[in-house]
Amino acid sequence: VDLNRAELSYANLNHAFAEGAILTDADLSRADLRTALLEGADLSGMGGYEANLSAAILRNVNLYGADLYGAKLVAAQLFDADLRETNLRDADLYSAKLGRADLLGADLAGADLRRADLRDANLKDANLDGAWYNAFTEWPEGFDPEEAGAVFQY
């Protein structure tokens, strides 16, 4: 499915099956993508302001440079995702699975990372200022979240 530059803001795509879809530079602001299957999709440059991607399957997706400011990604599966330079400021990533995700230069300021799985994720140059985490957040080996600016929350 090729939806390059599609205008899908406020769209109801709950339970959508779009594995391998091309949504480069598409506008999905405030769209409902809960439980959507987008494995292997190209979402680079996507606008997803306050989109709801809770419990979505986003394994091996390309989200390079996407704008997911304030997006809900609760329990989303983002294993092996390309999140380089992605805006995840104030995003809700509670219980999200980000193992082996590439977050090089991503903006996670103010994001909720409580219970998130970030094992083996690349957090180099990521902005974690004010991001929340808790005792159940899993970090890459040797990573110090407080040194990176994250704040412990219960």
Side-chain angles (χ1 to χ4, degrees):
V1 178
D2 188 344
L3 295 169
N4 184 36
R5 299 183 186 273
E7 169 53 59
L8 297 167
S9 58
Y10 294 94
N12 183 355
L13 300 168
N14 191 0
H15 302 295
F17 179 82
E19 191 170 1
I22 299 170
L23 289 151
T24 53
D25 299 314
D27 183 4
L28 289 157
S29 299
R30 295 193 171 126
D32 182 356
L33 290 145
R34 287 173 294 156
T35 69
L37 176 59
L38 295 163
E39 186 167 358
D42 186 352
L43 304 167
S44 57
M46 176 189 93
Y49 173 79
E50 292 185 348
N52 190 346
L53 291 143
S54 294
I57 309 296
L58 299 159
R59 288 186 299 257
N60 201 34
V61 298
N62 180 2
L63 280 158
Y64 177 83
D67 183 3
L68 292 169
Y69 179 91
K72 288 178 181 58
L73 292 142
V74 175
Q77 293 185 29
L78 288 145
F79 294 108
D80 298 309
D82 183 352
L83 295 159
R84 291 173 298 143
E85 305 294 329
T86 297
N87 180 7
L88 289 159
R89 186 176 282 264
D90 295 332
D92 188 350
L93 290 150
Y94 185 91
S95 288
K97 308 299 182 205
L98 293 138
R100 299 181 311 271
D102 190 352
L103 290 146
L104 176 73
D107 188 357
L108 291 150
D112 185 349
L113 298 172
R114 291 173 299 158
R115 291 188 175 264
D117 179 356
L118 292 147
R119 288 177 292 174
D120 299 319
N122 178 10
L123 293 168
K124 184 175 184 197
D125 298 327
N127 178 10
L128 290 159
D129 289 341
W132 295 356
Y133 74 98
N134 64 11
F136 301 104
T137 304
E138 297 182 77
W139 299 101
E141 190 173 327
F143 185 80
D144 184 347
E146 288 186 8
E147 186 176 300
V151 178
F152 185 84
Q153 293 285 321
Y154 291 96

